[in-house]
């Protein structure tokens, strides 16, 4: 039973447009939400996070939105650039438990 | 380089041999995590350690796998009598007590190939 779901395995977007990556979860105990980016043959790189006391966090081109009632998390990248092409993972944590629960990832392709 | 350091980056072992993967956490970090990514699958948590203590090993296979994080030196993930199914990318991550929330920082990974 997967607690964290990224329902789109892949996404293709034109350069300059907005990329929206989604993540749904089932356990309301999660209170810390992170996005990581991963290039092939490299480790995941931390992008942005949000705690459950907020519904939006912005860092440059990246914005994370949290809808607690819908148990839904999204990452917006605007404008999208070809260098953003990677696999994006959402990872969720609860309280002091440092074991993160990961989605399976969405592969984003930004086309020039 | 202040990042999480993993070595070796690539390791080839024959079936039945032992594999040892090493991880040095970021400076100042006292928490280490090991994750595994099998081909065509997502990241799977294996184990979470602090210095000299295993905090959570709920993701570790029951046999052949062990992990340690000694008082001095890197964390070691040890796989005994490797089988082809152990071929995967093994990622180490670290965090500090003061890391924002549950944010963890990853190394570049160690790719194990069992032939």
């Amino acid at each position: 039973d997967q607690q964290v779901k990224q329902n789109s395995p892949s996404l293709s977007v034109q350069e300059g447009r907005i990329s929206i990556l989604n993540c749904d979860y089932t356990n309301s105990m999660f209170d810390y939400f992170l996005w990581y980016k991963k290039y092939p043959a490299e480790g995941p790189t931390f992008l942005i996070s949000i705690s459950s006391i907020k519904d939006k966090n912005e860092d440059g081109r990246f914005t994370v939105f949290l809808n607690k009632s819908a148990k839904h998390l999204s990452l917006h990248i605007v404008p999208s650039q070809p260098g953003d092409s990677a696999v994006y993972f959402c990872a969720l944590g609860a309280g002091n438990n440092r074991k993160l629960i990961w989605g399976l990832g969405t592969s984003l392709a930004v086309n020039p | 380089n202040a990042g999480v350091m993993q070595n070796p980056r690539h390791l080839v072992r024959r079936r039945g041999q032992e594999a040892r993967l090493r991880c040095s956490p970021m400076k100042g970090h006292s928490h280490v995590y090991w994750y595994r990514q099998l081909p065509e699958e997502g990241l799977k948590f294996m184990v979470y350690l602090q210095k000299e203590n295993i905090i959570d090993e709920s993701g570790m296979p029951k046999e052949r796998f062990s992990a340690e994080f000694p008082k001095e030196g890197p964390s070691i993930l040890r796989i005994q009598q490797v089988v082809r199914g152990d071929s995967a990318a093994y990622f180490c991550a670290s965090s500090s007590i003061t890391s924002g929330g549950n944010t963890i920082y990853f190394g570049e990974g160690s790719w194990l190939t069992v032939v």
Side-chain angles (χ1 to χ4, degrees):
Chain A
D1 180 30
Q2 198 152 352
Q3 297 187 65
V4 179
K5 291 184 180 178
Q6 293 179 254
N7 289 319
S8 298
S10 62
L11 176 67
S12 184
V13 169
Q14 209 62 29
E15 181 178 5
R17 302 282 189 138
I18 185 170
S19 296
I20 300 177
L21 299 124
N22 295 304
C23 179
D24 296 289
Y25 60 98
T26 56
N27 190 338
S28 58
M29 295 294 290
F30 291 126
D31 59 4
Y32 201 77
F33 308 85
L34 306 96
W35 284 97
Y36 286 79
K37 176 170 77 171
K38 186 180 180 304
Y39 293 118
E42 293 186 13
T45 303
F46 170 70
L47 271 178
I48 192 169
S49 63
I50 190 168
S51 72
S52 58
I53 62 172
K54 290 186 167 184
D55 54 19
K56 177 182 175 181
N57 189 25
E58 191 172 352
D59 184 1
R61 296 186 297 114
F62 301 91
T63 304
V64 56
F65 294 92
L66 175 63
N67 182 333
K68 289 187 289 292
S69 60
K71 296 190 179 67
H72 179 79
L73 180 72
S74 63
L75 174 68
H76 292 207
I77 307 172
V78 55
S80 301
Q81 300 172 355
D84 296 329
S85 299
V87 178
Y88 289 79
F89 293 94
C90 60
L92 282 59
N96 293 323
N97 185 346
R98 288 178 169 267
K99 173 183 167 183
L100 295 174
I101 308 299
W102 293 72
L104 292 180
T106 296
S107 179
L108 173 66
V110 180
N111 306 307
Chain B
N1 186 341
V4 178
M5 302 299 292
Q6 290 188 246
N7 70 82
R9 288 296 312 277
H10 299 276
L11 182 64
V12 179
R13 284 288 177 266
R14 296 187 185 279
R15 280 179 295 170
Q17 290 185 318
E18 178 179 288
R20 281 187 183 229
L21 309 176
R22 286 174 289 279
C23 170
S24 295
M26 283 178 72
K27 188 176 181 181
H29 284 191
S30 56
H31 305 255
V32 164
Y33 313 78
W34 285 95
Y35 282 78
R36 176 166 67 170
Q37 186 174 27
L38 293 166
E40 308 303 322
E41 293 189 16
L43 283 161
K44 298 288 187 186
F45 168 82
M46 297 181 77
V47 62
Y48 159 39
L49 311 103
Q50 294 178 20
K51 287 280 187 183
E52 299 184 283
N53 280 309
I54 296 175
I55 306 302
D56 183 341
E57 56 181 347
S58 57
M60 288 279 270
K62 298 297 180 199
E63 297 176 347
R64 304 187 297 108
F65 285 71
S66 62
E68 62 176 8
F69 188 17
K71 188 176 179 181
E72 301 290 338
S75 174
I76 307 284
L77 179 68
R78 182 182 178 206
I79 312 171
Q80 295 177 288
Q81 299 175 327
V82 296
V83 300
R84 288 228 170 97
D86 297 332
S87 295
Y90 292 84
F91 294 99
C92 173
S94 72
S95 69
S96 71
I97 293 173
T98 56
S99 287
N102 298 34
T103 307
I104 62 175
Y105 299 90
F106 283 86
E108 293 293 297
S110 291
W111 268 257
L112 172 65
T113 302
V114 180
V115 297

